[in-house]
Amino acid sequence: MENKENKLGTMPIPKLLFQVSFPIVISMFIQSMYNLVDSYYVGKISEAAFSAISIAFPVQNIMVGVAVGTGVGMNSLLSRHLGEKDFEKSNKVAEVGLFLGLCYGIILFLLSRIIPLPYASAQVDDAEIIGYTVDYLQVVMGLSMGVFMQIFLERVLQSTGRAVLTMLTQLIGAVINIILDPIFIFGYFGLPAMGVRGAAIATVTGQIIGAICGAIFEYKLNPELKIKKPSFDLEIIKGIYAVGIPSTITVTIQSFTIYVLNRLLSGISTSAIAAVGAYFKVQSFVFMPTFGINNGVVPIIAYNYGAKNKDRILKTIKLAFAAVTVMMIVVSSIIMIFPREILSIFSATDEMIKIGVPMLRICATSYIFAGISIVGTSIFQAFGNGILSLIDSILRQIVILLPVAYIAVKYFSINEVWWGYTIAEFASVLFVIYFMRTFVKKKLDLI
């Protein structure tokens, strides 16, 4: 029977890239449902409520980034030790991952009493939006143990090749969230209407139930690993974060960028903050296929680089770039044609539509460049260089986007803010092209 390694080295590249990428796209789609469903129902409360969860998004993003970065590092060590048939060491890594997840949950519970109010007040002056933001963050931070445990258990299942169980865990959590959102927000079946706080409670309930399902799958259906208790091991922690830190920093940079943008836009209109929030919800869906290809490219190139199969590497690179370019042209066209209809999903007010329609059309021009950039940085990672990906993120968001946004707000109009995305993504493409012709070319010439 052909094993996974043989498929990476022998299966036709188009079929292989689809086979590796498709489950990742499904998983990402399920994950994005949490925030999208919250946004859909919260938008029906008011624009102020929608603005609040947009303001809360960077904090949630950092939480998920830390959890995923930790999970990626843990998964890397777990897979390596499982490949070596060192099950004792594998169990130890999983137990350390459990320890880290519990620590983060406790820390965020304590911070949930301190951070939300000053964080919200630093971005807007509107008391209603501040109140909604505090309500939402106190719950999602205070009960963040669910998201950390869910992602931890998903990565454990992934490391042993149980991708179907991972997707099932995510699906159960997402469905629970979808069912509970309207019930908790609007107060059905005799429950009180809890508004924004209800959306947060629905989210963490879905995550907790997803984590419980993950624990059941791990203990009942995953015989390779037997996690007994949380464990502390400094060397394993170092190994986890040697791999996971670049991913975490990249997400943190994105969250910092959104935070600064919200502060800049609050001086113009809270509707602008709501419009940016809608943009990031749309973006999460637009980029899903690209991120799926992005994650599929890495193991294919890495395996064939180790096997010194230059031809398959080049075919993978060309196919990935061609696929994301076609996909981004299609989604950019859809967004440019239907921006008003897209914003209506979030119950957009007239002011939000006035700001949001040109915003979506302008930002859509950046997507073609963004697809090339995302795949390019994944190719760097496949050749063992995560630093180039991190530098690219800093270039796009800190060096270019924020200065352009600041200049636009101070000297021009709000529409010029959105052109910062296009300029930043174009600069990223130039960055990718340069290092494809230098770093990647040198790697291929050594084969």
Side-chain angles (χ1 to χ4, degrees), residues 380-399:
F380 301 152
Q381 291 174 329
F383 284 106
N385 194 326
I387 299 300
L388 286 177
S389 301
L390 182 57
I391 293 172
D392 178 73
S393 181
I394 294 170
L395 171 69
R396 282 188 295 110
Q397 301 187 70
I398 305 298
V399 176

Side-chain angles (χ1 to χ4, degrees), residues 37-53:
V37 170
D38 280 356
S39 301
Y40 173 77
Y41 285 114
V42 168
K44 294 182 178 296
I45 300 173
S46 67
E47 185 181 288
F50 186 80
S51 297
I53 64 168

Side-chain angles (χ1 to χ4, degrees), residues 358-369:
M359 175 200 68
L360 286 180
R361 283 180 171 151
I362 293 169
C363 289
T365 64
S366 72
Y367 288 163
I368 298 171
F369 303 128

Side-chain angles (χ1 to χ4, degrees), residues 47-78:
E47 185 181 288
F50 186 80
S51 297
I53 64 168
S54 299
I55 290 170
F57 177 72
V59 176
Q60 285 184 285
N61 205 37
I62 289 174
M63 287 163 46
V64 172
V66 171
V68 169
T70 303
V72 166
M74 181 192 71
N75 203 349
S76 176
L77 284 182
L78 263 176

Side-chain angles (χ1 to χ4, degrees), residues 4-22:
K4 189 176 181 181
E5 288 189 346
N6 287 334
K7 288 179 181 179
L8 290 173
T10 60
M11 182 180 285
I13 293 298
K15 182 179 179 182
L16 177 62
L17 187 58
F18 175 82
Q19 191 177 93
V20 174
S21 301
F22 186 71

